[in-house]
Each structure stands twice: as C-alpha cells, then as structure tokens.
Amino acid sequence: MRTQIFFKLLVAAVIVIAVATITLDFAVRRSWEASLRQQITLSLTQKAELFAHEVQDVSRPSLPQDVSEISTAANARATVINNSGKVLADSEANPPEMENHATRPEFIAALQGHTGSNARRSHTLGIEFLYVAAPIHGGAVRLAYPLTEIRETVGEVRKTLIEASALALFIA
C-alpha cells in the first residue's frame, strides 16, 4: 500500500515537473528570442546608420575597403547597393555574382529614405540573416547579422533549463 502511494506521488511529481519545464521552456524561449532579436535589430540599425554616414555615396572609390573595414567593426556582413539594386560591394561575396537586390524589403525602405529591416534566408550564402539597410546618395548600405547566433544562445538557455529540471526531478 505504501509503495503504491509512493509511486503515485512520484509520478505526480514527475508530471508536475515535466509540465512546468515545458511551460517554462516555451515561455522563456519565445521571450528570450524576441528580446535578443529586438536588441540585435536596434544595434544593427544604429550600426547601419553609422555605416551610411561613413560611406555617404555609392560612387565613393574606396567602397570595397570601406565595406571590409565596416564589416569587421560591426561584426556583420556589409553591402553597398546602388539605386537599381546592383550590389557594388559586399564583405562576404563577389558582387558581380550576386543577384539584383531591388525587390528586397529593407532596400526598398532605404530607397524611400528610411532605415528598413527584414529577416530571411540569404540567396548567396544560404543562411538566415537579419538585414538592416540605410539610405545613402545613389543607393543604400546594408548590414546583415546571422540569426543562427540567436538560436545558439536560446539553445544554451534551453539546455540550462532542462538540466535544472532534471535536478529538480532527481531531488523529487
């Protein structure tokens, strides 16, 4: 009789801990990811505006060097695009091999005079990026941050949560 009560209590504790873990995982992961994305968007927007202030014009002769330096300083992929959507310089790809960017939402916003952002998979590199573009004379500058880094950070938080739940289950 006591053994049955013990096992029922143990099963109840396991269920409560499992439900709490799943609920926390869902809530924490979504909240944490949204917060990280918001912070990265704000930071990338500020960096893109500084990038635009630095470059100012697509006809600048030192674009490839500028893009390389800014990419390193911003810890992001950097691109300069002219009004027609042609890539003039990119820190991670060969511009003549890149497709036209005229239909990209962040580029369209930049051509309309505001800083624009969008998240999508890169056609050139095949990974998901958060893109932010800012207007300059004759086109736009754009910075891109790989979203895989957000997923890695969220994965680390998730792992810690699961470890803590396993410890709680052991103690129970």
Side-chain angles (χ1 to χ4, degrees):
M1 176 89 167
R2 293 175 97 179
T3 307
Q4 283 182 330
I5 293 172
F6 172 76
F7 282 117
K8 286 182 181 179
L9 288 173
L10 181 63
V11 168
V14 168
I15 290 171
V16 167
I17 291 170
V19 168
T21 300
I22 291 168
T23 303
L24 280 172
D25 176 57
F26 182 73
V28 167
R29 184 170 29 101
R30 292 187 91 193
S31 176
W32 184 262
E33 188 170 347
S35 175
L36 282 175
R37 189 179 275 234
Q38 184 179 23
Q39 289 176 349
I40 290 169
T41 301
L42 178 62
S43 174
L44 207 57
T45 299
Q46 292 169 340
K47 290 175 182 178
E49 289 169 356
L50 288 170
F51 182 15
H53 182 72
E54 176 70 25
V55 173
Q56 295 183 354
D57 193 319
V58 297
S59 62
R60 187 176 170 125
S62 61
L63 278 181
Q65 181 182 348
D66 294 340
V67 164
S68 177
E69 290 171 3
I70 288 169
S71 172
T72 302
N75 194 29
R77 180 180 177 190
T79 309
V80 177
I81 308 161
N82 73 10
N83 281 334
S84 68
K86 180 182 177 187
V87 177
L88 302 175
D90 188 272
S91 62
E92 295 183 24
N94 186 10
E97 295 174 2
M98 296 174 71
E99 61 187 45
N100 190 288
H101 285 42
T103 60
R104 309 289 163 83
E106 71 282 359
F107 177 68
I108 292 169
L111 286 183
Q112 294 172 352
H114 0 293
T115 301
S117 68
N118 187 36
R120 69 174 175 284
R121 184 169 301 282
S122 165
H123 295 292
T124 307
L125 299 178
I127 60 174
E128 191 175 8
F129 280 96
L130 172 63
Y131 295 98
V132 176
I136 60 172
H137 181 71
V141 296
R142 185 181 73 178
L143 291 177
Y145 185 82
L147 292 177
T148 52
E149 294 192 25
I150 292 176
R151 290 195 184 87
E152 289 171 6
T153 302
V154 170
E156 291 173 20
V157 170
R158 186 179 221 183
K159 180 182 172 194
T160 302
L161 179 62
I162 291 171
E163 289 170 353
S165 297
L167 179 62
L169 180 62
F170 177 74
I171 291 171

